[in-house]
Amino acid sequence: MASWPSLGLRARMLLAFALLCVVTTAAVAGASYVEARNAILERTQNAAVEAMRARLQTLFPLRDPTPDQDKLSGIVSIVAERNNDAVAVYHGTRSPASPARPCLPFGSPCRQGLDPGMVPKELRRKVADGVIAWQRVVWEDGPHLIIGTPLMIVEPDRPTRASGIEVYVAHSLAPEQRSIEDLAARAWLYGGMALAFAVFLALLATRSVLRPVRELGRAARLLGEGELRTRIAVRGSDELADVARTFNNTAEELQRHVEQLREMEADARRFVADVSHELRTPLAALAAVAEVLDEEAAQLPEHAGRAARLVSQETLNLTALVNDLIEISRFDSGVAALALNEVDVAELVRATLRTRGWSDQVRVEPSPEVTVRLDPRRVDVILANLVGNALRHGDPPVSVRLDADPHWITVEVRDHGPGLDEAVLPHVFDRFYKASAARARSEGSGLGLAIARENARLHRGDLTVVNAPDGGAVFTLRLPRDQDGGAT
């Protein structure tokens, strides 16, 4: 069974209304039922006692204080009402038994009138003490009220004394029982009607509450998806309207801040792109000067030669950084595009290694001949970055493996070094994040892997990294074989 918090708001409100209605109806109907039942029984009881007292008045004065069975029968005939059973007892002598009465609801004989043995002992003790008493009992043919009274002898100038005659009358409470059952049935009926009305009210209430809640949920979902102009219509002035106004104010502030951040981000990208392009011309001149210095470094004094080589190397590093920044700015501005060609991927891998002089340092595992439409320049950049990192930061052997299926090609670059720290893995492809936290100091700018992943995504593929179980980092490039949808 579902727990209370797991139920929906509509179900919880319906259950709450229904539970409140059931408890309230049960309390009111129960109290009314008990009060009405007691009132009916008390009224019937008082009426029966008063009727018996009125009939007893006709017996006084007693003509014979020592009656026989016939006289006891006469007393019974006077005291008993129609359809009631009665018995008179005098020192072990009793009036004749009444005819057998039907046992409801089947109508077959159930008991032979009222017998003194059927009278509760407590009631007989009270009557023997000279007190009129009564008690409700339930027999097979239904509930009854047994009234017992002693007959007193009243003589002039002498105290009243008991005659020893006891009279018991069994008054049927079947009509009252039917009235009480009808009352209970009406209580259940009214309770069911009240429950149905409460469910109807709950449905109306949940509809009025859930509608703005659903609107709020839909608006929050759209806002989370980037629809910053989403707003909610404010209706009324209740708490839900306050929530709607608060949401609208929050969405407006969020839109304003996001627009400011986007403007700042666009300004920063333009600044990087502009600075990078402006640096290309002086860097070209510096690169030419650095090349001359590098050629003349061997003829220069030791300190001057070392400084010349350092200037040359840092100029090359700065040139690579500027080129990487320009490439990143193209991705950010959305102008990066693919120049697709039919390429043999295995031959592209070998060409990448051959061009950079890595053929003897990297093992290319046997792979099938796979021809795919892709941008060879961008895939070459990805492979060069992955293999270069493996050679610089990992331990040999470094291997490249190519796999293919009908839909994807996979290029896996692996080294056998210490691998990457688990804390570093989620940030490997972040911009300007260097591997120095896990490996030796990196000479790169920290943009190489970020550019590699952007190139993979431009091909509608992806670039991932894991640590191999037996050591080393494994970079996996996955590209779809159908690139026609990605060409721009």
Side-chain angles (χ1 to χ4, degrees):
M1 181 179 294
S3 60
W4 178 263
S6 65
L7 296 176
L9 181 59
R10 178 188 294 272
R12 279 185 282 175
M13 292 187 68
L14 286 175
L15 287 177
F17 270 81
L19 183 61
L20 177 62
C21 175
V22 168
V23 172
T24 304
T25 303
V28 174
S32 301
Y33 170 79
V34 171
E35 185 176 351
R37 175 180 177 274
N38 292 338
I40 291 173
L41 293 177
E42 185 176 359
R43 184 174 63 251
T44 302
Q45 173 182 291
N46 293 338
V49 171
E50 290 299 325
M52 184 173 180
R53 284 176 176 170
R55 285 178 170 79
L56 288 176
Q57 297 298 327
T58 63
L59 296 175
F60 296 105
L62 290 175
R63 298 183 179 86
D64 187 356
T66 58
D68 56 13
Q69 193 176 43
D70 292 337
K71 292 181 179 179
L72 290 175
S73 178
I75 293 174
V76 167
S77 64
I78 295 174
V79 174
E81 295 181 353
R82 183 167 58 88
N83 296 328
N84 287 343
D85 292 333
V87 64
V89 182
Y90 177 71
H91 296 303
T93 303
R94 54 156 293 176
S95 59
S98 304
R101 290 189 172 274
C103 185
L104 299 177
F106 304 106
S108 59
C110 187
R111 58 182 175 81
Q112 189 71 25
L114 179 62
D115 186 86
M118 301 168 63
V119 179
K121 294 180 180 180
E122 181 65 24
L123 179 60
R124 296 202 65 176
R125 280 196 296 269
K126 292 180 180 180
V127 174
D129 292 338
V131 178
I132 298 178
W134 51 87
Q135 185 174 340
R136 289 192 292 270
V137 297
V138 178
W139 292 332
E140 294 180 357
D141 56 342
H144 290 75
L145 176 66
I146 299 180
I147 305 173
T149 180
L151 296 185
M152 311 300 291
I153 297 177
V154 181
E155 297 178 348
D157 301 330
R158 298 185 66 178
T160 301
R161 59 186 177 86
S163 66
I165 302 174
E166 300 174 3
V167 180
Y168 298 94
V169 176
H171 179 79
S172 176
L173 296 178
E176 288 74 15
Q177 181 68 24
R178 286 192 293 271
S179 299
I180 292 173
E181 291 175 354
D182 292 342
L183 181 64
R186 285 195 295 271
W188 281 108
L189 176 61
Y190 296 151
M193 295 172 61
L195 178 59
F197 185 65
V199 171
F200 175 72
L201 291 180
L203 290 174
L204 291 180
T206 54
R207 181 180 178 184
S208 61
V209 171
L210 290 180
R211 182 173 58 187
V213 171
R214 289 196 186 99
E215 291 181 359
L216 179 62
R218 180 186 59 81
R221 185 166 55 253
L222 292 175
L223 194 64
E225 294 173 354
E227 297 291 337
L228 300 181
R229 296 183 182 276
T230 303
R231 300 293 185 270
I232 300 177
V234 180
R235 302 182 182 89
S237 58
D238 56 4
E239 290 80 0
L240 292 174
D242 292 339
V243 172
R245 278 189 288 270
T246 302
F247 177 87
N248 290 339
N249 294 335
T250 303
E252 186 175 350
E253 287 297 313
L254 179 62
Q255 181 182 3
R256 185 172 63 83
H257 286 298
V258 169
E259 289 176 351
Q260 290 178 351
L261 290 175
R262 286 175 177 172
E263 291 176 359
M264 294 171 61
E265 182 181 10
D267 292 341
R269 289 175 177 175
R270 281 195 300 270
F271 174 78
V272 171
D274 293 344
V275 170
S276 300
H277 282 88
E278 291 297 326
L279 287 175
R280 297 187 75 173
T281 300
L283 278 176
L286 284 175
V289 173
E291 184 176 355
V292 174
L293 289 175
D294 197 30
E295 292 175 354
E296 300 294 332
Q299 286 75 33
L300 295 174
E302 181 181 358
H303 294 292
R306 189 162 50 247
R309 284 189 290 271
L310 178 62
V311 169
S312 177
Q313 181 62 44
E314 292 301 326
T315 300
L316 293 177
N317 292 339
L318 182 58
T319 302
L321 173 60
V322 170
N323 290 332
D324 288 345
L325 289 174
I326 292 174
E327 187 70 9
I328 284 290
S329 67
R330 290 196 183 102
F331 287 117
D332 290 340
S333 60
V335 298
L338 296 176
L340 299 177
N341 287 297
E342 293 286 342
V343 177
D344 184 339
V345 181
E347 178 58 32
L348 177 61
V349 172
R350 288 190 291 269
T352 299
L353 300 179
R354 187 171 54 251
T355 302
R356 291 164 178 81
W358 293 338
S359 298
D360 296 335
Q361 304 177 56
V362 179
R363 182 177 77 249
V364 179
E365 298 184 4
S367 58
E369 297 292 331
V370 181
T371 302
V372 180
R373 279 179 58 81
L374 49 77
D375 188 331
R377 183 186 69 82
R378 294 186 181 278
V379 175
D380 175 75
V381 170
I382 300 173
L383 294 175
N385 190 281
L386 298 182
V387 175
N389 281 341
L391 292 173
R392 283 193 300 272
H393 305 301
D395 292 337
V398 175
S399 61
V400 178
R401 184 168 63 90
L402 172 65
D403 287 328
D405 61 34
H407 304 288
W408 295 89
I409 62 169
T410 303
V411 181
E412 186 178 277
V413 178
R414 177 181 177 182
D415 66 66
H416 288 76
L420 294 168
D421 190 276
E422 293 297 330
V424 174
L425 282 175
H427 307 288
V428 167
F429 299 103
D430 293 349
R431 296 179 182 182
F432 298 105
Y433 188 86
K434 295 188 178 183
S436 58
R439 307 189 190 193
R441 181 182 179 274
S442 173
E443 299 86 1
S445 64
L447 291 174
L449 288 176
I451 293 174
R453 173 171 269 191
E454 293 292 344
N455 278 316
R457 289 177 173 173
L458 192 62
H459 282 83
R460 295 184 294 118
D462 199 7
L463 181 62
T464 58
V465 60
V466 295
N467 286 323
D470 54 347
V474 180
F475 286 83
T476 303
L477 170 65
R478 294 182 75 244
L479 300 176
R481 300 191 67 163
D482 179 14
Q483 287 293 338
D484 291 336
T488 57

